[in-house]
Amino acid sequence: MLRIGLTGGMGAGKSTAARLLTERGAVLIDSDVIAREVVAPGTEGLAALVEAFGPDILAADGNLDRPALAAKAFADDEARATLNGITHPLVGRRTAELLSAAPADAIVVQDVPLLVENGLGAMMNLVVVVTADTETRVHRLEEFRGISRPDALARIATQATDEQRRAAADVLLDNNAGPEELARQIDALWEHRLVPFEHNLRTRTRAVRGDVQLVGPDPTWEAQAGRLVARLALACGAAARRIDHIGSTAVPGLPAKDVLDIQVTVADLAAADELREALEEAGFPRIGYTTDDPKPGTDPALWDKRIHVSADPGRPANVHLRVDGWPNQQWALAFRDWLRSDPAAREEYLAVKRKAEDAAAGLTGEQAIQAYLDVKTPWFDAVYRRVLAGRERP
């Protein structure tokens, strides 16, 4: 299933976004609802809280008196750790039960208010953040929830900042204009990204890509790659010796195809093959390429690799699994670092890329890619030794 993490600050409109997504067919798992459910009367969660903090945390009707609990649980770090040690495993277990009960073709939206604060983005296939200006949020909290302006501002100040949420977001939904505009954005997100992403994930199909075309440098490429690296690290576990953002999008200021390249370094190709299932479940199906283009004077067998690609139509990416110490693994890092450190090299490479783009113009699919590579490959062969020599120089 496709797992979407939905979050946003108080008053941003996260609940409205959740409702709109469920109206379109999403399965909603609401963390706040679960957090209340696991400490309802008669549950093991409530019994454990009473044992830890005393019976005076109960209201007269037997429900949890949340202000009374907060007064004790947030008194110090030890008490807070006790609270979290009781509730977090219960919430996690119930979330896992709901995920298991969802249909195999579900688009599951997990409404998690503290997703950014708790660093949970890597567990999701996508993170969707609902945003709104602070004044808009305060006005909504005053009007619809009866929270005073000073209290609203104080609560907002305790949450993740807008910058932190933007850094965690694969998708930003601007909710300053209200429900109708938010619904329009969600319609587009649902139709053009979530539905095809779910299909691709379930069928282990690569996302359709557009023409081979260079675009201007995007300052968010590094953050986007960072989110993919975190997901890949979770999928690969200890089998990944290192994971790096490589290629043109890893070089600040360099125009590139809007495709992120990530290198996963493994011990051997057997380890790469063992990761196939985990990577495909994470949204990166394998494709048939099994080698890089060997460079002159090297053993062609040491240029073998495995490659996975993104199933997400909104974020094209290639994931190269290469063996630690093999020339293709070292070349990918050396070439990136050479471009980062040498302005003349960047200009030289950009000229080659422009020529390759022209060669691919008017072609589609594999033909376009091959035409693009036919121009670049001879240049790579020509600079190979120069790049490695620069890396070895003290």
Side-chain angles (χ1 to χ4, degrees):
M1 67 192 70
L2 184 68
R3 294 179 65 181
I4 307 300
L6 177 66
T7 194
M10 290 183 65
K14 175 174 57 64
S15 297
T16 302
R19 175 179 57 78
L20 291 167
L21 286 163
T22 56
E23 287 174 358
R24 284 147 184 80
V27 174
L28 179 64
I29 298 178
D30 190 323
S31 295
D32 279 346
V33 171
I34 294 173
R36 292 191 294 271
E37 181 183 299
V38 299
V39 293
T43 62
E44 62 175 297
L46 186 60
L49 289 177
V50 170
E51 181 177 353
F53 295 103
D56 53 337
I57 65 168
L58 294 176
D61 61 2
N63 281 289
L64 179 64
D65 184 336
R66 293 182 179 276
L69 173 64
K72 292 188 173 188
F74 295 101
D76 54 57
D77 290 342
E78 183 178 352
R80 185 182 297 107
T82 299
L83 171 65
N84 292 339
I86 293 170
T87 58
H88 286 186
L90 295 172
V91 170
R93 187 173 72 192
R94 180 57 179 155
T95 299
E97 290 172 355
L98 293 172
L99 285 168
S100 296
D105 62 350
I107 297 174
V108 176
V109 173
Q110 293 182 238
D111 183 337
V112 187
L114 299 181
L115 183 146
V116 175
E117 290 85 343
N118 291 333
L120 302 178
M123 300 173 62
M124 310 296 171
N125 298 114
L126 281 180
V127 171
V128 177
V129 175
V130 185
T131 66
D133 296 338
T134 299
E135 284 303 315
T136 300
R137 294 164 59 191
V138 169
H139 175 72
R140 289 172 182 162
L141 292 171
E142 288 179 307
E143 181 177 1
F144 300 115
R145 294 174 59 177
I147 299 174
S148 69
R149 178 180 178 83
D151 191 14
L153 288 170
R155 295 191 193 191
I156 289 172
T158 66
Q159 298 183 323
T161 64
D162 291 342
E163 290 73 20
Q164 289 170 325
R165 288 198 183 90
R166 279 193 290 270
D170 300 290
V171 177
L172 284 170
L173 297 175
D174 186 332
N175 191 29
N176 283 292
E180 289 186 3
E181 171 58 21
L182 182 62
R184 186 196 63 77
Q185 294 175 62
I186 286 179
D187 280 338
L189 173 64
W190 183 263
E191 179 180 355
H192 299 298
R193 192 162 187 180
L194 301 189
V195 170
F197 193 177
E198 185 283 318
H199 173 270
N200 294 343
L201 178 64
R202 176 166 38 86
T203 60
R204 303 193 176 188
T205 304
R206 66 182 299 171
V208 175
R209 294 188 182 175
D211 296 337
V212 175
Q213 184 176 11
L214 301 183
V215 299
D218 184 342
T220 72
W221 274 335
E222 193 62 34
Q224 293 182 55
R227 293 192 291 272
L228 293 189
V229 166
R231 289 174 182 131
L232 290 166
L234 190 63
C236 294
R241 293 190 170 181
R242 60 184 292 175
I243 304 178
D244 296 278
H245 181 199
I246 58 170
S248 296
T249 58
V251 181
L254 182 64
K257 300 191 306 303
D258 189 20
V259 180
L260 301 179
D261 283 279
I262 309 294
Q263 177 169 274
V264 178
T265 298
V266 293
D268 48 43
L269 291 178
D273 289 333
E274 289 173 0
L275 286 172
R276 177 170 185 166
E277 184 69 17
L279 290 173
E280 292 194 335
E281 288 185 353
F284 301 94
R286 178 174 290 187
I287 60 174
Y289 295 100
T290 58
T291 185
D292 291 306
D293 180 66
K295 301 297 179 285
T298 63
D299 182 352
L302 299 182
W303 290 80
D304 286 350
K305 67 173 179 179
R306 302 292 183 263
I307 185 166
H308 293 246
V309 295
S310 175
D312 176 8
R315 175 24 64 209
N318 301 319
V319 180
H320 310 262
L321 280 75
R322 296 184 174 115
V323 175
D324 197 3
W326 281 16
N328 55 352
Q329 185 262 351
Q330 295 179 324
W331 160 252
L333 298 173
F335 183 66
R336 178 201 64 186
D337 295 345
W338 180 60
L339 293 176
R340 284 177 172 178
S341 64
D342 190 334
R346 291 197 294 274
E347 289 301 317
E348 182 180 348
Y349 184 40
L350 179 57
V352 174
K353 286 160 67 75
R354 295 291 189 200
K355 184 178 178 181
E357 180 186 33
D358 290 341
L363 302 175
T364 59
E366 296 299 324
Q367 285 187 321
I369 294 172
Q370 191 58 53
Y372 188 79
L373 293 176
D374 284 346
V375 173
K376 290 174 58 176
T377 298
W379 182 79
F380 286 146
D381 292 345
V383 302
Y384 177 64
R385 292 299 176 189
R386 179 162 39 125
V387 172
L388 293 188
R391 193 184 199 201
E392 294 166 0
R393 192 177 300 125

